[in-house]
Amino acid sequence: MKGMAAKDMGWAIPVMRVGYLGRGLVYLAVAGISLYSIWRGGQAQDTSSALGWLENTWGGGMVLFLILLGMLAYAIWRVVDAAFDLEDYGTDGKGIIARIGMVVTGGIHLGIGMLAFSLLFSSSGGSDGSSIPRHVGQVMEWPGGRWIIGLVAVLILGAGGYYLRQGWKGEFRKHLRANRFTRRWSPVLQAGVMAHGLVIGVIGWLFLFAAWRADPQEAGGVGEAFSWLSSQAYGRFLVVAVCLGLAGFAIFCFVNAAYRIVPKASEPDLHSLADRVMG
């Protein structure tokens, strides 16, 4: 039965690979352009600013097109993964939450794909800063809007905690095929997953502040998270460390594209990195 399922759903593997490659390009662009900006005396960049920077560089259009394809593939992969439970999360409460999270993650990355599309094919260029406070302000005008934003904040914090736990305990290893490369690069992958969790957690706190203070300007995305981190003690050093960590997360995405194990679609009897490390 498992072999038949793997044969039937094997088409999802190439979609997954393209999706993770696109995701890795996004984080590599954010981390690399942010580090370059800091080195030149500027500030770390958010996703829209990083993609906008690519738009005006030689070869950037091709990278944006690859990101567009990758984000579309990643969104499709996450929906298919959740619908057919390809990674075998199950149908209990924890599994259902994980699968809903996949669909939400796919939607977020589809939004990044739409941003790349607008930069490629719209004459108006990129956006003038983050639109998150504007959207948050619109939601706050609804009945119970502050509670909705508070709930969103809790969900984002939960996602950040999930990635931090995945990194700290090395739980991500059970999804990766064991080989010389994944064993050697495991510490970099671990740091990358934790850095990603930290950024998501800061975004969650910003949303929570916005709900608590009824001020949509407190909310924000990656750029605002970098700004908050830079305002802390040793902030510039902290931002550089997080950017390096996000570069590690980009590598994590590339490694997933090549070596991710999908229980209901991959070849049977693959040994995971977790098996090798623990064994």
Side-chain angles (χ1 to χ4, degrees):
M1 181 69 70
K2 184 176 179 180
M4 181 66 70
K7 181 179 179 180
D8 292 342
M9 300 303 300
W11 61 268
I13 298 296
V15 177
M16 178 268 291
R17 296 191 196 284
V18 174
Y20 272 107
L21 283 172
R23 195 183 188 200
L25 285 175
V26 171
Y27 282 97
L28 186 61
V30 172
I33 293 170
S34 293
L35 288 170
Y36 177 76
S37 177
I38 293 171
W39 179 64
R40 296 291 299 270
Q43 302 295 323
Q45 304 295 303
D46 60 12
T47 304
S48 60
S49 298
L51 297 189
W53 188 89
L54 283 175
E55 180 190 21
N56 300 311
T57 60
W58 184 86
M62 178 58 70
V63 177
L64 283 174
F65 183 71
L66 293 175
I67 287 174
L68 170 60
L69 291 180
M71 295 300 92
L72 291 175
Y74 191 79
I76 293 171
W77 154 248
R78 275 316 191 189
V79 172
V80 171
D81 188 10
F84 293 95
D85 194 20
L86 297 184
E87 297 189 284
D88 204 18
Y89 283 98
T91 56
D92 59 4
K94 184 178 179 180
I96 293 297
I97 291 174
R99 291 162 71 180
I100 291 174
M102 293 176 191
V103 176
V104 173
T105 302
I108 292 172
H109 286 79
L110 181 61
I112 297 175
M114 293 172 62
L115 172 61
F117 180 88
S118 67
L119 290 170
L120 280 169
F121 301 108
S122 173
S123 60
S124 60
S127 60
D128 298 325
S130 175
S131 61
I132 291 176
R134 174 166 54 84
H135 294 312
V136 169
Q138 292 172 349
V139 173
M140 282 188 176
E141 294 176 357
W142 301 351
R146 288 178 64 186
W147 289 100
I148 295 174
I149 297 302
L151 177 60
V152 170
V154 171
L155 294 175
I156 297 173
L157 285 168
Y162 170 80
Y163 278 105
L164 284 170
R165 176 186 172 87
Q166 286 271 312
W168 180 259
K169 292 186 172 292
E171 294 176 354
F172 66 90
R173 298 189 183 108
K174 66 184 179 182
H175 298 291
L176 296 177
R177 190 183 312 171
N179 55 39
R180 182 181 299 177
F181 182 87
T182 55
R183 289 196 297 269
R184 179 176 299 175
W185 284 80
S186 183
V188 175
L189 305 180
Q190 185 173 19
V193 173
M194 293 184 67
H196 183 54
L198 176 61
V199 172
I200 293 177
V202 172
I203 293 172
W205 279 116
L206 294 176
F207 270 75
L208 194 62
F209 291 154
W212 178 261
R213 299 177 180 176
D215 182 4
Q217 297 302 316
E218 295 282 354
V222 174
E224 288 76 13
F226 280 142
S227 295
W228 185 86
L229 288 170
S230 65
S231 68
Q232 308 306 306
Y234 305 101
R236 198 169 186 84
F237 173 81
L238 184 59
V239 170
V240 169
V242 170
C243 287
L244 291 173
L246 290 181
F249 188 74
I251 296 174
F252 171 80
C253 292
F254 295 142
V255 169
N256 273 266
Y259 303 119
R260 190 170 182 86
I261 298 174
V262 183
K264 294 185 179 180
S266 298
E267 298 176 5
D269 303 324
L270 291 176
H271 293 288
S272 72
L273 180 59
D275 293 336
R276 294 303 188 198
V277 171
M278 298 301 294

